[in-house]
Amino acid sequence: MNMDIADWRDRIDEIDRQLVVLLNERAKCSLNIGKLKRQMNLPIYDPHRESIVLQQVMDLNRGPLTADAVKRLFERIIDENRRLERIYGALEESREGNGT
């Protein structure tokens, strides 16, 4: 089947929809982990775990993205999830401080 630009763009749009769903699912998992970390008085940032995750995704990569490109993308994903954990943690602490 020969695909034209519009077909390829439609395919990209569908992949983007799937990525957004998966990124949000990943974020929900991170929020749950963040909640458990707060209950256990563990830091949000875990450099050892981050290294493991980055190595795993680089090992899974089969291209055409380079390992460094995959690493940079996941560093950003991890950074955004960590930021989300901090925001939700601060909101939780604020609610607890207000007795709500």
Side-chain angles (χ1 to χ4, degrees):
M1 168 171 137
N2 265 345
M3 293 176 57
D4 63 15
I5 289 174
D7 295 326
W8 285 112
R9 287 180 175 160
D10 288 344
R11 178 75 177 121
I12 286 173
D13 291 345
E14 176 55 32
I15 291 167
D16 289 347
R17 282 189 284 278
Q18 292 173 26
L19 284 171
V20 169
V21 168
L22 291 172
L23 288 169
N24 278 296
E25 187 63 28
R26 189 186 196 289
K28 289 175 190 174
C29 292
S30 291
L31 288 173
N32 284 312
I33 289 170
K35 186 174 184 175
L36 291 171
K37 285 179 178 178
R38 283 188 300 282
Q39 291 171 356
M40 300 168 66
N41 285 327
L42 296 173
I44 294 296
Y45 178 57
D46 182 348
H48 179 70
R49 172 64 182 153
E50 186 172 317
S51 294
I52 291 169
V53 170
L54 293 174
Q55 189 60 56
Q56 286 175 345
V57 296
M58 288 188 305
D59 289 347
L60 289 169
N61 182 44
R62 297 293 174 253
L65 290 172
T66 65
D68 284 342
V70 170
K71 181 180 179 187
R72 284 191 305 274
L73 287 167
F74 272 84
E75 284 172 337
R76 185 67 183 158
I77 290 167
I78 290 167
D79 183 53
E80 286 301 319
N81 279 267
R82 194 180 317 117
R83 186 181 70 81
L84 194 60
E85 285 180 47
R86 286 190 179 106
I87 290 169
Y88 274 77
L91 287 173
E92 252 184 34
E93 288 174 12
S94 172
R95 277 189 229 121
E96 291 169 0
N98 291 331
T100 56

